[in-house]
Amino acid sequence: MATIEELSKISSQVRRDIVRMVTAAKSGHPGGSMGITDVMTTLYFNEMKHDPKTWCRCGKGQDVFILSAGHLAPVLYAELARAGYFPVSELGTLRKFGSRLQGHPCVTDALPGVFKPSGSLGQGLSVAAGIALGKKYDGDPTRVYCLCGDGESEEGQIWEAGMWAVHHKVDNLIAFTDWNGQQIDGPTKSVTGLEDLSEKWGSFGWDVIIADGHDYESILNAFALAHNENGKPKMILFKTEMGHGVDFMAGTHEWHGKAPSAEQCEAALAQLPETLGDY
Ligand SMILES: Cc1ncc(C[n+]2csc(CCOP(=O)(O)OP(=O)(O)O)c2C)c(N)n1
């Protein structure tokens, strides 16, 4: 298990990877990816029971991660590569013809570590809940994790999954939301206001945990609390900042889906220490 200092170093490198990948591809989604990086690093390097050497798409006997907000693919790819699922050099192929790293995850290209294609928002939580129930039927004690966006939570299917998961008591499901208050067209409150997400998930019968998505103690504590086997699915609401780590990308939806120019890339990298070596 990685220490907080190690987690912080990995996150800095992952943010560099994201900026470099999206700049090279000339398109992609850096803002949300950089905002949820600290959580995703904690998930892959401290929280989940997984092993790239024995990974299997069937998901049996291992923790499963489902990316419901598929546009956050850059952070998933960078974490998977840094965790050893495929060579880090492959990160440079993001969004290229023939690459296994498409703009949204695509299982048919068989990228290790990816359980499900995504990109159409709203669907992943349903899949994650189904896998969690399958694990219960199998007597498999491992867990299912699922990342949703707050803008994504404006999709009705998220709330169908919410009801279903409670009905089936899948307390081995740990969903988490990137609660950055932003989505593609602007602040979520100006698109379709979500109001108090904590109250909403609580009223659906979920155990709700609120945490600071840029504070490792808070992230670790949230995951530890979510291990409670009390018959209820868990929703961790991570307060995050879109574009976190680079001053001119932080806190605005403008970087939801835009590639930095070569100059902006250099300026961003100057703010993100290279800790593990660039790909
Ligand atoms: C079903 C569906 N509708 C619309 C879109 C287009 N779309 C892509 S990302 C996005 C906003 C998602 O917002 P959020 O989940 O908050 O992600 P963030 O902006 O924080 O990265 C939208 C509407 C989509 N991918 N799928």
Side-chain angles (χ1 to χ4, degrees), residues 3-274:
T3 62
I4 287 184
E5 197 186 335
E6 288 164 339
L7 293 173
S8 166
K9 282 187 178 160
I10 297 166
S11 289
S12 185
Q13 188 65 52
V14 164
R15 286 194 171 93
R16 282 183 74 87
D17 291 342
I18 294 166
V19 169
R20 295 181 70 239
M21 288 158 72
V22 175
T23 302
K26 297 192 170 68
S27 66
H29 297 84
S33 291
M34 292 163 71
I36 200 67
T37 293
D38 300 324
V39 173
M40 289 291 282
T41 299
T42 308
L43 184 72
Y44 272 93
F45 291 87
N46 198 299
E47 166 68 8
M48 279 204 306
K49 290 190 196 72
H50 68 117
D51 180 356
K53 290 187 208 76
T54 55
W55 183 82
C56 161
R57 188 160 289 109
C58 72
K60 281 193 179 178
Q62 60 191 319
D63 286 345
V64 167
F65 172 71
I66 299 291
L67 180 68
S68 192
H71 63 284
L72 302 179
V75 67
L76 174 61
Y77 296 154
E79 298 288 356
L80 289 175
R82 295 290 168 185
Y85 280 85
F86 55 86
V88 289
S89 58
E90 208 169 330
L91 293 176
T93 70
L94 178 74
R95 289 179 170 243
K96 301 259 190 301
F97 284 123
S99 169
R100 298 193 293 179
L101 278 60
Q102 287 306 307
H104 299 77
C106 175
V107 167
T108 48
D109 286 335
L111 189 66
V114 175
F115 286 95
K116 170 195 176 303
S118 46
S120 255
L121 296 172
Q123 300 176 352
L125 188 59
S126 300
V127 175
I131 297 172
L133 183 59
K135 282 183 180 292
K136 291 263 177 199
Y137 285 152
D138 275 355
D140 177 346
T142 57
R143 300 187 173 95
V144 183
Y145 296 80
C146 180
L147 167 56
C148 301
D150 52 3
E152 182 189 18
S153 303
E154 295 166 5
E155 294 283 350
Q157 189 176 341
I158 291 286
W159 302 99
E160 292 179 53
M163 287 183 280
W164 192 92
V166 166
H167 181 82
H168 290 283
K169 300 185 171 55
V170 282
D171 56 6
N172 53 344
L173 172 61
I174 302 180
F176 54 100
T177 299
D178 177 27
W179 200 7
N180 60 16
Q182 308 284 339
Q183 66 119 298
I184 191 168
D185 287 328
T188 48
K189 66 177 179 209
S190 71
V191 181
T192 305
L194 293 153
E195 306 301 333
D196 186 344
L197 267 182
S198 159
E199 212 175 276
K200 276 198 169 61
W201 282 108
S203 75
F204 271 65
W206 286 53
D207 260 357
V208 182
I209 299 154
I210 299 178
D212 179 341
H214 301 304
D215 174 335
Y216 290 107
E217 300 273 9
S218 182
I219 299 168
L220 288 164
N221 187 43
F223 280 129
L225 285 173
H227 293 173
N228 188 6
E229 292 174 10
N230 62 352
K232 292 179 173 189
K234 312 294 181 295
M235 173 55 75
I236 308 175
L237 300 171
F238 282 116
K239 297 219 176 201
T240 61
E241 177 182 58
M242 187 174 268
H244 190 78
V246 172
D247 55 9
F248 63 88
M249 298 176 86
T252 164
H253 73 278
E254 279 171 39
W255 290 94
H256 162 92
K258 185 172 80 170
S261 64
E263 296 73 36
Q264 286 170 325
C265 178
E266 284 312 310
L269 294 182
Q271 297 178 38
L272 300 167
E274 182 181 348

